[in-house]
PDB file of all heavy atoms in Angstrom:
ATOM      1  N   GLU P   1       0.829  -1.206   0.001  1.00 82.00           N
ATOM      2  CA  GLU P   1       0.003   0.001   0.000  1.00 82.00           C
ATOM      3  C   GLU P   1       0.862   1.257  -0.002  1.00 82.00           C
ATOM      4  O   GLU P   1       0.519   2.258   0.603  1.00 82.00           O
ATOM      5  CB  GLU P   1      -0.965  -0.002   1.183  1.00 82.00           C
ATOM      6  CG  GLU P   1      -2.054  -1.047   1.052  1.00 82.00           C
ATOM      7  CD  GLU P   1      -3.302  -0.695   1.839  1.00 82.00           C
ATOM      8  OE1 GLU P   1      -3.253   0.243   2.647  1.00 82.00           O
ATOM      9  OE2 GLU P   1      -4.337  -1.356   1.636  1.00 82.00           O
ATOM     10  N   SER P   2       1.961   1.208  -0.720  1.00 87.00           N
ATOM     11  CA  SER P   2       2.790   2.401  -0.859  1.00 87.00           C
ATOM     12  C   SER P   2       1.990   3.523  -1.499  1.00 87.00           C
ATOM     13  O   SER P   2       1.183   3.308  -2.407  1.00 87.00           O
ATOM     14  CB  SER P   2       4.017   2.088  -1.719  1.00 87.00           C
ATOM     15  OG  SER P   2       4.731   3.272  -2.014  1.00 87.00           O
ATOM     16  N   LEU P   3       2.217   4.750  -1.038  1.00 89.00           N
ATOM     17  CA  LEU P   3       1.511   5.911  -1.562  1.00 89.00           C
ATOM     18  C   LEU P   3       2.405   6.797  -2.421  1.00 89.00           C
ATOM     19  O   LEU P   3       2.065   7.934  -2.726  1.00 89.00           O
ATOM     20  CB  LEU P   3       0.923   6.725  -0.404  1.00 89.00           C
ATOM     21  CG  LEU P   3      -0.010   5.952   0.533  1.00 89.00           C
ATOM     22  CD1 LEU P   3      -0.505   6.852   1.656  1.00 89.00           C
ATOM     23  CD2 LEU P   3      -1.171   5.338  -0.220  1.00 89.00           C
ATOM     24  N   ASP P   4       3.557   6.268  -2.818  1.00 95.00           N
ATOM     25  CA  ASP P   4       4.516   7.039  -3.618  1.00 95.00           C
ATOM     26  C   ASP P   4       4.164   6.951  -5.104  1.00 95.00           C
ATOM     27  O   ASP P   4       4.907   6.400  -5.914  1.00 95.00           O
ATOM     28  CB  ASP P   4       5.935   6.548  -3.379  1.00 95.00           C
ATOM     29  CG  ASP P   4       6.416   6.835  -1.966  1.00 95.00           C
ATOM     30  OD1 ASP P   4       6.202   7.965  -1.499  1.00 95.00           O
ATOM     31  OD2 ASP P   4       6.993   5.927  -1.340  1.00 95.00           O
ATOM     32  N   PHE P   5       3.026   7.528  -5.467  1.00 95.00           N
ATOM     33  CA  PHE P   5       2.526   7.418  -6.836  1.00 95.00           C
ATOM     34  C   PHE P   5       3.111   8.496  -7.746  1.00 95.00           C
ATOM     35  O   PHE P   5       3.392   9.619  -7.314  1.00 95.00           O
ATOM     36  CB  PHE P   5       0.998   7.535  -6.850  1.00 95.00           C
ATOM     37  CG  PHE P   5       0.317   6.325  -6.282  1.00 95.00           C
ATOM     38  CD1 PHE P   5      -0.065   6.287  -4.950  1.00 95.00           C
ATOM     39  CD2 PHE P   5       0.078   5.212  -7.065  1.00 95.00           C
ATOM     40  CE1 PHE P   5      -0.672   5.170  -4.419  1.00 95.00           C
ATOM     41  CE2 PHE P   5      -0.533   4.086  -6.539  1.00 95.00           C
ATOM     42  CZ  PHE P   5      -0.908   4.066  -5.214  1.00 95.00           C
ATOM     43  N   LEU P   6       3.253   8.134  -9.016  1.00 97.00           N
ATOM     44  CA  LEU P   6       3.627   9.081 -10.055  1.00 97.00           C
ATOM     45  C   LEU P   6       2.493   9.075 -11.074  1.00 97.00           C
ATOM     46  O   LEU P   6       2.138   8.025 -11.618  1.00 97.00           O
ATOM     47  CB  LEU P   6       4.943   8.665 -10.715  1.00 97.00           C
ATOM     48  CG  LEU P   6       5.567   9.712 -11.650  1.00 97.00           C
ATOM     49  CD1 LEU P   6       5.974  10.958 -10.856  1.00 97.00           C
ATOM     50  CD2 LEU P   6       6.771   9.135 -12.390  1.00 97.00           C
ATOM     51  N   SER P   7       1.912  10.245 -11.320  1.00 95.00           N
ATOM     52  CA  SER P   7       0.692  10.331 -12.109  1.00 95.00           C
ATOM     53  C   SER P   7       0.875  11.203 -13.339  1.00 95.00           C
ATOM     54  O   SER P   7       1.565  12.226 -13.305  1.00 95.00           O
ATOM     55  CB  SER P   7      -0.451  10.914 -11.263  1.00 95.00           C
ATOM     56  OG  SER P   7      -0.629  10.176 -10.070  1.00 95.00           O
ATOM     57  N   VAL P   8       0.223  10.790 -14.429  1.00 95.00           N
ATOM     58  CA  VAL P   8       0.186  11.597 -15.646  1.00 95.00           C
ATOM     59  C   VAL P   8      -0.587  12.872 -15.387  1.00 95.00           C
ATOM     60  O   VAL P   8      -0.153  13.973 -15.725  1.00 95.00           O
ATOM     61  CB  VAL P   8      -0.460  10.804 -16.800  1.00 95.00           C
ATOM     62  CG1 VAL P   8      -0.661  11.694 -18.017  1.00 95.00           C
ATOM     63  CG2 VAL P   8       0.376   9.587 -17.166  1.00 95.00           C
ATOM     64  N   ASP P   9      -1.766  12.760 -14.761  1.00 93.00           N
ATOM     65  CA  ASP P   9      -2.637  13.894 -14.458  1.00 93.00           C
ATOM     66  C   ASP P   9      -3.286  13.618 -13.109  1.00 93.00           C
ATOM     67  O   ASP P   9      -4.322  12.968 -13.024  1.00 93.00           O
ATOM     68  CB  ASP P   9      -3.693  14.067 -15.552  1.00 93.00           C
ATOM     69  CG  ASP P   9      -4.634  15.240 -15.298  1.00 93.00           C
ATOM     70  OD1 ASP P   9      -4.451  15.937 -14.273  1.00 93.00           O
ATOM     71  OD2 ASP P   9      -5.549  15.450 -16.105  1.00 93.00           O
ATOM     72  N   ALA P  10      -2.678  14.121 -12.047  1.00 89.00           N
ATOM     73  CA  ALA P  10      -3.145  13.824 -10.694  1.00 89.00           C
ATOM     74  C   ALA P  10      -4.510  14.422 -10.390  1.00 89.00           C
ATOM     75  O   ALA P  10      -5.162  13.993  -9.445  1.00 89.00           O
ATOM     76  CB  ALA P  10      -2.124  14.327  -9.671  1.00 89.00           C
ATOM     77  N   SER P  11      -4.957  15.396 -11.183  1.00 86.00           N
ATOM     78  CA  SER P  11      -6.289  15.953 -10.961  1.00 86.00           C
ATOM     79  C   SER P  11      -7.374  15.028 -11.491  1.00 86.00           C
ATOM     80  O   SER P  11      -8.543  15.180 -11.162  1.00 86.00           O
ATOM     81  CB  SER P  11      -6.412  17.329 -11.643  1.00 86.00           C
ATOM     82  OG  SER P  11      -6.354  17.188 -13.052  1.00 86.00           O
ATOM     83  N   ASN P  12      -6.975  14.042 -12.287  1.00 87.00           N
ATOM     84  CA  ASN P  12      -7.927  13.123 -12.900  1.00 87.00           C
ATOM     85  C   ASN P  12      -7.797  11.714 -12.344  1.00 87.00           C
ATOM     86  O   ASN P  12      -8.790  11.050 -12.056  1.00 87.00           O
ATOM     87  CB  ASN P  12      -7.720  13.105 -14.415  1.00 87.00           C
ATOM     88  CG  ASN P  12      -8.764  12.281 -15.146  1.00 87.00           C
ATOM     89  OD1 ASN P  12      -9.957  12.465 -14.932  1.00 87.00           O
ATOM     90  ND2 ASN P  12      -8.314  11.381 -15.989  1.00 87.00           N
ATOM     91  N   GLN P  13      -6.571  11.247 -12.185  1.00 87.00           N
ATOM     92  CA  GLN P  13      -6.347   9.886 -11.691  1.00 87.00           C
ATOM     93  C   GLN P  13      -4.994   9.803 -11.013  1.00 87.00           C
ATOM     94  O   GLN P  13      -3.985  10.283 -11.534  1.00 87.00           O
ATOM     95  CB  GLN P  13      -6.379   8.889 -12.856  1.00 87.00           C
ATOM     96  CG  GLN P  13      -6.035   7.468 -12.454  1.00 87.00           C
ATOM     97  CD  GLN P  13      -6.005   6.544 -13.652  1.00 87.00           C
ATOM     98  OE1 GLN P  13      -7.003   6.353 -14.339  1.00 87.00           O
ATOM     99  NE2 GLN P  13      -4.835   5.988 -13.938  1.00 87.00           N
ATOM    100  N   ILE P  14      -4.966   9.189  -9.843  1.00 89.00           N
ATOM    101  CA  ILE P  14      -3.721   8.984  -9.110  1.00 89.00           C
ATOM    102  C   ILE P  14      -3.126   7.634  -9.521  1.00 89.00           C
ATOM    103  O   ILE P  14      -3.794   6.617  -9.450  1.00 89.00           O
ATOM    104  CB  ILE P  14      -3.951   9.005  -7.591  1.00 89.00           C
ATOM    105  CG1 ILE P  14      -4.576  10.329  -7.149  1.00 89.00           C
ATOM    106  CG2 ILE P  14      -2.646   8.773  -6.851  1.00 89.00           C
ATOM    107  CD1 ILE P  14      -3.749  11.544  -7.450  1.00 89.00           C
ATOM    108  N   GLY P  15      -1.852   7.636  -9.878  1.00 89.00           N
ATOM    109  CA  GLY P  15      -1.183   6.395 -10.234  1.00 89.00           C
ATOM    110  C   GLY P  15      -1.629   5.862 -11.572  1.00 89.00           C
ATOM    111  O   GLY P  15      -2.137   6.590 -12.422  1.00 89.00           O
ATOM    112  N   PRO P  16      -1.442   4.550 -11.789  1.00 90.00           N
ATOM    113  CA  PRO P  16      -1.151   3.503 -10.823  1.00 90.00           C
ATOM    114  C   PRO P  16       0.334   3.237 -10.561  1.00 90.00           C
ATOM    115  O   PRO P  16       0.672   2.376  -9.753  1.00 90.00           O
ATOM    116  CB  PRO P  16      -1.764   2.267 -11.507  1.00 90.00           C
ATOM    117  CG  PRO P  16      -1.558   2.538 -12.961  1.00 90.00           C
ATOM    118  CD  PRO P  16      -1.753   4.002 -13.131  1.00 90.00           C
ATOM    119  N   ILE P  17       1.233   3.939 -11.254  1.00 94.00           N
ATOM    120  CA  ILE P  17       2.656   3.673 -11.073  1.00 94.00           C
ATOM    121  C   ILE P  17       3.106   4.090  -9.680  1.00 94.00           C
ATOM    122  O   ILE P  17       2.824   5.198  -9.215  1.00 94.00           O
ATOM    123  CB  ILE P  17       3.478   4.410 -12.142  1.00 94.00           C
ATOM    124  CG1 ILE P  17       3.236   3.788 -13.521  1.00 94.00           C
ATOM    125  CG2 ILE P  17       4.968   4.384 -11.809  1.00 94.00           C
ATOM    126  CD1 ILE P  17       3.682   2.351 -13.647  1.00 94.00           C
ATOM    127  N   VAL P  18       3.819   3.181  -9.012  1.00 95.00           N
ATOM    128  CA  VAL P  18       4.379   3.435  -7.685  1.00 95.00           C
ATOM    129  C   VAL P  18       5.896   3.488  -7.801  1.00 95.00           C
ATOM    130  O   VAL P  18       6.506   2.632  -8.446  1.00 95.00           O
ATOM    131  CB  VAL P  18       3.979   2.334  -6.679  1.00 95.00           C
ATOM    132  CG1 VAL P  18       4.736   2.485  -5.374  1.00 95.00           C
ATOM    133  CG2 VAL P  18       2.481   2.368  -6.430  1.00 95.00           C
ATOM    134  N   LEU P  19       6.497   4.504  -7.203  1.00 97.00           N
ATOM    135  CA  LEU P  19       7.949   4.607  -7.143  1.00 97.00           C
ATOM    136  C   LEU P  19       8.436   4.040  -5.816  1.00 97.00           C
ATOM    137  O   LEU P  19       7.768   4.164  -4.792  1.00 97.00           O
ATOM    138  CB  LEU P  19       8.398   6.063  -7.274  1.00 97.00           C
ATOM    139  CG  LEU P  19       7.984   6.804  -8.553  1.00 97.00           C
ATOM    140  CD1 LEU P  19       8.503   8.228  -8.515  1.00 97.00           C
ATOM    141  CD2 LEU P  19       8.481   6.070  -9.789  1.00 97.00           C
ATOM    142  N   ARG P  20       9.602   3.429  -5.843  1.00 97.00           N
ATOM    143  CA  ARG P  20      10.211   2.872  -4.629  1.00 97.00           C
ATOM    144  C   ARG P  20      11.498   3.649  -4.326  1.00 97.00           C
ATOM    145  O   ARG P  20      12.385   3.741  -5.168  1.00 97.00           O
ATOM    146  CB  ARG P  20      10.524   1.396  -4.823  1.00 97.00           C
ATOM    147  CG  ARG P  20       9.311   0.545  -5.218  1.00 97.00           C
ATOM    148  CD  ARG P  20       8.318   0.396  -4.078  1.00 97.00           C
ATOM    149  NE  ARG P  20       7.190  -0.461  -4.442  1.00 97.00           N
ATOM    150  CZ  ARG P  20       6.276  -0.882  -3.583  1.00 97.00           C
ATOM    151  NH1 ARG P  20       6.338  -0.524  -2.309  1.00 97.00           N
ATOM    152  NH2 ARG P  20       5.267  -1.654  -4.002  1.00 97.00           N
ATOM    153  N   PHE P  21      11.574   4.196  -3.104  1.00 97.00           N
ATOM    154  CA  PHE P  21      12.726   4.990  -2.687  1.00 97.00           C
ATOM    155  C   PHE P  21      13.573   4.183  -1.701  1.00 97.00           C
ATOM    156  O   PHE P  21      13.073   3.735  -0.667  1.00 97.00           O
ATOM    157  CB  PHE P  21      12.270   6.291  -2.037  1.00 97.00           C
ATOM    158  CG  PHE P  21      11.599   7.238  -2.987  1.00 97.00           C
ATOM    159  CD1 PHE P  21      10.233   7.159  -3.233  1.00 97.00           C
ATOM    160  CD2 PHE P  21      12.348   8.201  -3.655  1.00 97.00           C
ATOM    161  CE1 PHE P  21       9.607   8.032  -4.116  1.00 97.00           C
ATOM    162  CE2 PHE P  21      11.720   9.083  -4.548  1.00 97.00           C
ATOM    163  CZ  PHE P  21      10.369   8.991  -4.782  1.00 97.00           C
ATOM    164  N   LYS P  22      14.848   4.007  -2.014  1.00 96.00           N
ATOM    165  CA  LYS P  22      15.746   3.264  -1.140  1.00 96.00           C
ATOM    166  C   LYS P  22      15.954   3.999   0.176  1.00 96.00           C
ATOM    167  O   LYS P  22      15.938   5.234   0.223  1.00 96.00           O
ATOM    168  CB  LYS P  22      17.097   3.061  -1.827  1.00 96.00           C
ATOM    169  CG  LYS P  22      17.077   2.129  -3.016  1.00 96.00           C
ATOM    170  CD  LYS P  22      18.483   1.894  -3.534  1.00 96.00           C
ATOM    171  CE  LYS P  22      18.488   0.875  -4.654  1.00 96.00           C
ATOM    172  NZ  LYS P  22      19.855   0.569  -5.129  1.00 96.00           N
ATOM    173  N   PRO P  23      16.180   3.246   1.262  1.00 95.00           N
ATOM    174  CA  PRO P  23      16.415   3.898   2.564  1.00 95.00           C
ATOM    175  C   PRO P  23      17.611   4.844   2.541  1.00 95.00           C
ATOM    176  O   PRO P  23      17.620   5.853   3.245  1.00 95.00           O
ATOM    177  CB  PRO P  23      16.673   2.706   3.500  1.00 95.00           C
ATOM    178  CG  PRO P  23      15.945   1.567   2.858  1.00 95.00           C
ATOM    179  CD  PRO P  23      16.097   1.779   1.385  1.00 95.00           C
ATOM    180  N   GLY P  24      18.615   4.563   1.729  1.00 91.00           N
ATOM    181  CA  GLY P  24      19.798   5.411   1.661  1.00 91.00           C
ATOM    182  C   GLY P  24      19.651   6.609   0.743  1.00 91.00           C
ATOM    183  O   GLY P  24      20.608   7.363   0.547  1.00 91.00           O
ATOM    184  N   GLY P  25      18.491   6.808   0.174  1.00 88.00           N
ATOM    185  CA  GLY P  25      18.242   7.954  -0.679  1.00 88.00           C
ATOM    186  C   GLY P  25      18.203   7.586  -2.144  1.00 88.00           C
ATOM    187  O   GLY P  25      18.575   6.484  -2.526  1.00 88.00           O
ATOM    188  N   PRO P  26      17.669   8.493  -2.952  1.00 96.00           N
ATOM    189  CA  PRO P  26      17.188   9.821  -2.556  1.00 96.00           C
ATOM    190  C   PRO P  26      15.868   9.752  -1.790  1.00 96.00           C
ATOM    191  O   PRO P  26      15.111   8.799  -1.941  1.00 96.00           O
ATOM    192  CB  PRO P  26      16.986  10.531  -3.899  1.00 96.00           C
ATOM    193  CG  PRO P  26      16.645   9.417  -4.845  1.00 96.00           C
ATOM    194  CD  PRO P  26      17.469   8.244  -4.398  1.00 96.00           C
ATOM    195  N   SER P  27      15.615  10.777  -0.964  1.00 95.00           N
ATOM    196  CA  SER P  27      14.343  10.846  -0.251  1.00 95.00           C
ATOM    197  C   SER P  27      13.262  11.299  -1.211  1.00 95.00           C
ATOM    198  O   SER P  27      13.539  11.849  -2.278  1.00 95.00           O
ATOM    199  CB  SER P  27      14.458  11.808   0.932  1.00 95.00           C
ATOM    200  OG  SER P  27      14.838  13.098   0.484  1.00 95.00           O
ATOM    201  N   SER P  28      12.018  11.064  -0.826  1.00 95.00           N
ATOM    202  CA  SER P  28      10.903  11.395  -1.718  1.00 95.00           C
ATOM    203  C   SER P  28      10.713  12.914  -1.795  1.00 95.00           C
ATOM    204  O   SER P  28      10.994  13.638  -0.834  1.00 95.00           O
ATOM    205  CB  SER P  28       9.624  10.728  -1.234  1.00 95.00           C
ATOM    206  OG  SER P  28       9.319  11.134   0.084  1.00 95.00           O
ATOM    207  N   PRO P  29      10.205  13.411  -2.931  1.00 96.00           N
ATOM    208  CA  PRO P  29       9.970  14.854  -3.068  1.00 96.00           C
ATOM    209  C   PRO P  29       8.689  15.285  -2.368  1.00 96.00           C
ATOM    210  O   PRO P  29       7.932  14.451  -1.844  1.00 96.00           O
ATOM    211  CB  PRO P  29       9.839  15.025  -4.587  1.00 96.00           C
ATOM    212  CG  PRO P  29       9.295  13.719  -5.058  1.00 96.00           C
ATOM    213  CD  PRO P  29       9.901  12.669  -4.163  1.00 96.00           C
ATOM    214  N   ALA P  30       8.435  16.568  -2.365  1.00 95.00           N
ATOM    215  CA  ALA P  30       7.193  17.088  -1.774  1.00 95.00           C
ATOM    216  C   ALA P  30       6.013  16.686  -2.641  1.00 95.00           C
ATOM    217  O   ALA P  30       6.092  16.710  -3.867  1.00 95.00           O
ATOM    218  CB  ALA P  30       7.277  18.611  -1.656  1.00 95.00           C
ATOM    219  N   PRO P  31       4.887  16.291  -2.023  1.00 94.00           N
ATOM    220  CA  PRO P  31       3.699  15.964  -2.796  1.00 94.00           C
ATOM    221  C   PRO P  31       3.292  17.141  -3.699  1.00 94.00           C
ATOM    222  O   PRO P  31       3.350  18.289  -3.286  1.00 94.00           O
ATOM    223  CB  PRO P  31       2.636  15.702  -1.730  1.00 94.00           C
ATOM    224  CG  PRO P  31       3.419  15.284  -0.531  1.00 94.00           C
ATOM    225  CD  PRO P  31       4.674  16.101  -0.576  1.00 94.00           C
ATOM    226  N   GLY P  32       2.885  16.815  -4.907  1.00 95.00           N
ATOM    227  CA  GLY P  32       2.516  17.836  -5.866  1.00 95.00           C
ATOM    228  C   GLY P  32       3.652  18.289  -6.754  1.00 95.00           C
ATOM    229  O   GLY P  32       3.438  19.074  -7.691  1.00 95.00           O
ATOM    230  N   SER P  33       4.859  17.783  -6.477  1.00 97.00           N
ATOM    231  CA  SER P  33       5.999  18.128  -7.321  1.00 97.00           C
ATOM    232  C   SER P  33       5.900  17.418  -8.660  1.00 97.00           C
ATOM    233  O   SER P  33       5.537  16.242  -8.718  1.00 97.00           O
ATOM    234  CB  SER P  33       7.318  17.718  -6.644  1.00 97.00           C
ATOM    235  OG  SER P  33       7.507  18.399  -5.427  1.00 97.00           O
ATOM    236  N   ILE P  34       6.206  18.138  -9.713  1.00 97.00           N
ATOM    237  CA  ILE P  34       6.367  17.494 -11.018  1.00 97.00           C
ATOM    238  C   ILE P  34       7.834  17.111 -11.131  1.00 97.00           C
ATOM    239  O   ILE P  34       8.723  17.967 -11.022  1.00 97.00           O
ATOM    240  CB  ILE P  34       5.966  18.448 -12.163  1.00 97.00           C
ATOM    241  CG1 ILE P  34       4.509  18.876 -12.004  1.00 97.00           C
ATOM    242  CG2 ILE P  34       6.183  17.775 -13.510  1.00 97.00           C
ATOM    243  CD1 ILE P  34       4.087  19.949 -13.000  1.00 97.00           C
ATOM    244  N   ILE P  35       8.079  15.825 -11.298  1.00 98.00           N
ATOM    245  CA  ILE P  35       9.458  15.355 -11.272  1.00 98.00           C
ATOM    246  C   ILE P  35       9.795  14.611 -12.559  1.00 98.00           C
ATOM    247  O   ILE P  35       8.927  14.084 -13.252  1.00 98.00           O
ATOM    248  CB  ILE P  35       9.739  14.445 -10.063  1.00 98.00           C
ATOM    249  CG1 ILE P  35       8.915  13.150 -10.148  1.00 98.00           C
ATOM    250  CG2 ILE P  35       9.466  15.171  -8.758  1.00 98.00           C
ATOM    251  CD1 ILE P  35       9.301  12.115  -9.077  1.00 98.00           C
ATOM    252  N   ARG P  36      11.081  14.590 -12.853  1.00 98.00           N
ATOM    253  CA  ARG P  36      11.614  13.752 -13.918  1.00 98.00           C
ATOM    254  C   ARG P  36      12.559  12.763 -13.213  1.00 98.00           C
ATOM    255  O   ARG P  36      13.613  13.144 -12.722  1.00 98.00           O
ATOM    256  CB  ARG P  36      12.361  14.581 -14.958  1.00 98.00           C
ATOM    257  CG  ARG P  36      12.877  13.773 -16.147  1.00 98.00           C
ATOM    258  CD  ARG P  36      13.560  14.656 -17.172  1.00 98.00           C
ATOM    259  NE  ARG P  36      12.607  15.576 -17.793  1.00 98.00           N
ATOM    260  CZ  ARG P  36      12.751  16.896 -17.839  1.00 98.00           C
ATOM    261  NH1 ARG P  36      13.818  17.459 -17.264  1.00 98.00           N
ATOM    262  NH2 ARG P  36      11.846  17.653 -18.423  1.00 98.00           N
TER     263      ARG P  36
END
């Protein structure tokens, strides 16, 4: 139930792609960030 979703259009649909962040980094970005 990870909530680290990456969305094409978060105003329409969240996910379904989930990103996995290693404990040693990098840490997750702020919610709402557009990332590459």
